[in-house]
Amino acid sequence: LKPFGFKLRCAALRNGSALTPSSSRPLPEELMARQQQGRAEQARRGGRRLLRGLVLPAAALAAMAVVRRLVRPGMAEEVEPQVSFLGSKRREMADVARKSFPGAMTGSTVMARMLEKVEPYGVKWDNTVYGQSLCSDEINSDRGHLSVLLTKYFGHSFHLGGIGGAPYVGKTGFGAFSHHVPDDGHVVVVFGPHIGISPTGELGKFLRVGQSALSTSCGAVIAAYSQCTSGANLPADPQDMMQSWLRGQLKPHCREIERSVNPMKDLVMKAYREIEAEVMRIVNTDYGSGHLVLLGGIQINMPHSMRGFFAPMHFSIRSAGKEPVDLMSAFD
């Protein structure tokens, strides 16, 4: 009877009928569904455990790597890694840069548009010598800045500038640099002052890695402005030639800047105009048949860990015996 009863119950279950109290048990389809749900829940739990096991150690290792980069060899204590900007805060700071300096964009975007525009003229990485007249401030070497990207692209750079970004090497320095050009090759020069943006969006201020207080950026340009408006008589100093030059060039503009609604923005714009004029006074195309590409603008030091921005103000190409060609349409 036992085998017969077993077969009878199976038939009843297949037919969906209720013969005995055993018919109150779940049908095979329900059992399978419950088993599948159970296996799915176990898989989800296992996946969460696996994810925690992978993500948390990875995050810890990443944090440790950041700390190690910030700690010099031999330091006994670790420093707290600086908090990176995320999402909306990055967009907010980018908006500050673009509203203050219309046309400002990331260094990588400027480089891509510049290289695309000069490609028809035969300007390539292997037939070009690259130079830059930018401030000596180390934050201009932060990753993502146009000057850093172009140095990597061309493989080298000749430093024409000093504090403030003016081309202090003069005609002799440019002549030496331009005669390093490959045969029938080209010369590319990027120039201009720089300005920092604080984590709260304040122009002319910058929070440097390892410091708890803001500092000025560009410190030399802002110092020249402060010296000019202090009322003190500061003659040219042969032991401070770069600052003396900046102070002398900015002095005629300082009273106007004092009345400005946004003095830091107007100050760096005045500095740019003086630097551009000086660049035009020292450059030439006497080095050969190749082109001279000039790209001037404001280098913008964004809060860490954002990539640097650049606001193009001048972009042209020229060669011996030919009129300069304006290429600013590359940034429209």
Side-chain angles (χ1 to χ4, degrees):
L1 291 176
K2 186 174 181 180
F4 177 78
F6 176 76
K7 292 179 180 179
L8 188 62
R9 284 196 298 273
C10 288
L13 288 171
R14 282 195 298 270
N15 295 330
S17 60
L19 297 176
T20 66
S22 64
S23 64
S24 62
R25 298 172 184 172
L27 296 176
E29 293 82 3
E30 295 174 343
L31 287 172
M32 292 177 64
R34 290 183 184 181
Q35 289 174 350
Q36 290 174 351
Q37 290 175 356
R39 285 194 292 268
E41 180 61 24
Q42 288 178 349
R44 282 194 294 271
R45 290 176 181 174
R48 285 195 292 268
R49 285 194 296 269
L50 178 61
L51 187 61
R52 286 195 297 269
L54 293 174
V55 172
L56 293 179
L61 288 172
M64 290 172 64
V66 171
V67 171
R68 288 194 188 101
R69 286 198 297 270
L70 294 175
V71 178
R72 293 182 180 179
M75 289 179 64
E77 297 180 359
E78 291 184 341
V79 296
E80 183 178 350
Q82 198 159 350
V83 178
S84 298
F85 277 172
L86 299 174
S88 61
K89 193 65 175 178
R90 285 177 175 266
R91 290 191 293 271
E92 181 184 341
M93 293 300 103
D95 287 343
V96 170
R98 295 188 181 107
K99 288 178 181 178
S100 301
F101 304 98
M105 56 191 75
T106 62
S108 58
T109 302
V110 174
M111 183 177 80
R113 295 191 184 188
M114 185 204 82
L115 294 177
E116 182 181 11
K117 199 71 172 180
V118 300
E119 184 180 10
Y121 295 91
V123 178
K124 302 176 182 178
W125 70 269
D126 57 352
N127 66 355
T128 301
V129 63
Y130 168 68
Q132 55 192 33
S133 185
L134 300 167
C135 183
S136 312
D137 195 325
E138 72 278 359
I139 61 176
N140 287 323
S141 298
D142 287 349
R143 65 178 186 171
H145 273 307
L146 173 65
S147 53
V148 175
L149 297 173
L150 287 176
T151 298
K152 290 181 179 178
Y153 177 78
F154 289 112
H156 47 249
S157 62
F158 188 103
H159 296 280
L160 301 159
I163 59 172
Y168 299 106
V169 297
K171 294 180 178 180
T172 299
F174 179 81
F177 156 64
S178 61
H179 280 80
H180 299 165
V181 67
D183 293 342
D184 301 319
H186 312 285
V187 176
V188 172
V189 175
V190 170
F191 63 90
H194 72 115
I195 188 169
I197 297 180
S198 77
T200 58
E202 183 180 1
L203 294 180
K205 295 293 181 67
F206 192 79
L207 183 60
R208 299 169 189 269
V209 173
Q211 294 189 350
S212 58
L214 297 173
S215 59
T216 55
S217 171
C218 170
V221 170
I222 295 173
Y225 170 67
S226 299
Q227 291 164 352
C228 291
T229 56
S230 67
N233 182 22
L234 297 172
D237 185 347
Q239 276 70 55
D240 200 11
M241 292 186 292
M242 294 184 186
Q243 191 65 20
S244 296
W245 186 92
L246 277 177
R247 188 167 57 245
Q249 301 307 116
L250 291 175
K251 187 174 182 179
H253 309 293
C254 286
R255 295 305 173 192
E256 178 186 349
I257 295 170
E258 274 190 307
R259 298 189 294 269
S260 171
V261 176
N262 194 339
M264 290 298 101
K265 172 187 174 181
D266 290 346
L267 173 61
V268 76
M269 291 299 296
K270 296 294 186 184
Y272 170 78
R273 294 302 176 193
E274 294 296 333
I275 292 169
E276 180 188 79
E278 189 68 11
V279 167
M280 296 305 174
R281 284 191 283 264
I282 71 168
V283 299
N284 61 68
T285 54
D286 298 338
Y287 50 84
S289 59
H291 296 289
L292 170 62
V293 178
L294 298 177
L295 176 58
I298 312 295
Q299 182 140 290
I300 305 170
N301 309 113
M302 303 297 289
H304 290 295
S305 58
M306 294 182 67
R307 304 299 177 98
F309 273 51
F310 191 87
M313 307 291 293
H314 175 98
F315 185 28
S316 67
I317 190 167
R318 64 199 69 205
S319 58
K322 296 181 181 179
E323 290 296 317
V325 178
D326 187 348
L327 302 178
M328 277 296 289
S329 60
F331 306 113
D332 291 343

